[in-house]
Amino acid sequence: MTVFCNQLINTRTFFFICLILVWLSSVYISSISLTADPRVVFEMFALTSVAFIGITSCLVATDWTERELRIFVDVYILSNVIAAVIGVLGFVAHNPDLTWADRPRAFLDDPDMFGVFLVPGILGSLFMIAEKRRRILFSAALLLLSVAVFLSFSRAAIVSAALWSGIYLGILNRHQLLRATLSSLAFLVPLVVVVLLFAVLNDTVSHMLSGRFTVAEEYDLGHFGRYNRYLLAIPMILDHPFGIGLLQIENYFPEPIHNVWIACFLYFGWIGGLAWTLLLILSGMQAWNTWKQSRNGLCLMIFFGWLSIISCSMLHEGERWRFMWLLTGVLWGLNPRNFVAIPRPAHESRRIIAARKPAGRATPIVS
């Protein structure tokens, strides 16, 4: 975005940037009258920064080939492993700076954000194992990330990890489903053993096992519960076409709306909600077309990683998740032409075939 680089701008990236700027404009329009509150100013700055993470990652990924995308996935998995180690150690040590409500969060905002952050790393590890690249190393990473997601006790993250990993694993091994099933069962054995050890040695785990794994917690039910707040938000959305603004939800409900799609309509108005809806639909279409044209497994892995995050954001305040914007930008930036093998000219293919023939035989001369 500067005059010092030869940045590639195509129709797709230009439209993505415009869509993000429209969404950001709705954030400012809805909250500009509330800037006397320093918390609102901070939230506006935070949302601006995460949105520009998406724009930057989109621009960076425009000229990526499989090599650069593979490096990105490796680094993402490494960052997940570092976060998982910090979170698990903080959980074991009961470190208040690394936990929230006795659940690990590492240096992220909360345990739910921590758990969702790790799910694309699980998908990336599955891809690397299927590609037979350092299988022992990535199997260890897969086990660590799975344990960390479980210890986050985020219902959305755990269900997302199980659902999308199962679908993705089935696609990766669609020609060897029986073998994939047996491998999955073999992986579950050490995972269950580790979880049981935590449950026996840590009172928090045993308590969470009995309380967290339910369809609805106490705060999900009731008139102002999470699920009923979705219904209560509908008349408020209709009455506030420009949105109620940032942090104003606390004047109406005891907790945030915990649904990024409804929140965009409620907080930022109809324009913000429509921009977000369009962003979700077009992101899915963009990811599908990229994979369909390239047939590259890494592109499919990015798509599933993005889906795992978006599905969780429907139960949380996901508009603040930096990694969600990161993967969204990468998803829009990937150019399928950079991942399609360039066919060799016919005369070059004949020359290669002729050169590969064994010595001693008559080899036709190819001009």
Side-chain angles (χ1 to χ4, degrees), residues 85-340:
V85 170
I86 295 173
V88 172
L89 292 179
F91 173 77
V92 173
H94 299 284
N95 189 318
D97 295 326
L98 303 176
T99 58
W100 183 87
D102 294 327
R103 296 159 58 194
R105 67 178 182 88
F107 293 118
L108 298 176
D109 295 344
D110 55 69
D112 296 302
M113 184 178 181
F114 169 73
V116 178
F117 172 58
L118 303 180
V119 178
I122 292 176
L123 298 173
S125 299
L126 288 174
F127 174 81
M128 295 301 178
I129 294 171
E131 290 285 300
K132 299 180 180 179
R133 294 172 56 88
R134 294 172 287 180
R135 302 181 71 172
I136 296 178
L137 181 63
F138 284 107
S139 296
L142 178 62
L143 179 60
L144 173 62
L145 297 181
S146 301
V147 171
V149 169
F150 177 83
L151 292 180
S152 71
F153 295 104
S154 171
R155 291 171 293 172
I158 294 173
V159 172
S160 176
L163 174 64
W164 296 114
S165 295
I167 297 175
Y168 185 59
L169 188 64
I171 294 176
L172 287 176
N173 300 275
R174 55 189 178 276
H175 301 302
Q176 297 177 328
L177 290 178
L178 179 60
R179 180 178 178 182
T181 303
L182 295 177
S183 299
S184 301
L185 293 176
F187 170 76
L188 288 176
V189 173
L191 178 60
V192 172
V193 170
V194 173
V195 170
L196 290 177
L197 286 175
F198 271 105
V200 173
L201 301 176
N202 194 299
D203 295 335
T204 303
V205 175
S206 58
H207 174 72
M208 290 289 183
L209 284 174
S210 60
R212 287 293 299 173
F213 293 103
T214 57
V215 176
E217 290 273 7
E218 182 179 352
Y219 53 78
D220 293 322
L221 305 175
H223 181 70
F224 288 113
R226 181 197 304 231
Y227 302 140
N228 201 49
R229 287 200 302 272
Y230 298 162
L231 298 177
L232 296 176
I234 295 176
M236 295 178 62
I237 292 172
L238 297 177
D239 292 339
H240 298 83
F242 294 103
I244 63 175
L246 288 165
L247 303 180
Q248 301 310 297
I249 190 68
E250 61 190 26
N251 298 326
Y252 303 92
F253 300 136
E255 290 188 26
I257 201 68
H258 286 312
N259 183 301
V260 65
W261 182 56
I262 297 177
C264 285
F265 278 100
L266 182 60
Y267 300 164
F268 314 133
W270 298 355
I271 295 177
L274 290 174
W276 187 265
T277 304
L278 194 59
L279 178 64
L280 293 184
I281 295 174
L282 294 179
S283 295
M285 293 175 59
Q286 173 63 30
W288 176 257
N289 289 332
T290 300
W291 177 75
K292 188 176 180 180
Q293 295 178 39
S294 66
R295 293 295 176 176
N296 187 281
L298 277 173
C299 296
L300 186 64
M301 180 259 141
I302 294 294
F303 183 28
F304 272 84
W306 177 81
L307 283 174
S308 69
I309 296 173
I310 291 299
S311 60
C312 293
S313 71
M314 292 301 179
L315 293 172
H316 296 288
E317 302 290 294
E319 68 273 12
R320 299 182 181 90
W321 291 350
R322 297 176 289 277
F323 51 87
M324 183 195 71
W325 290 99
L326 173 69
L327 287 186
T328 303
V330 169
L331 184 150
W332 276 81
L334 293 179
N335 189 341
R337 295 180 180 178
N338 296 337
F339 295 87
V340 177

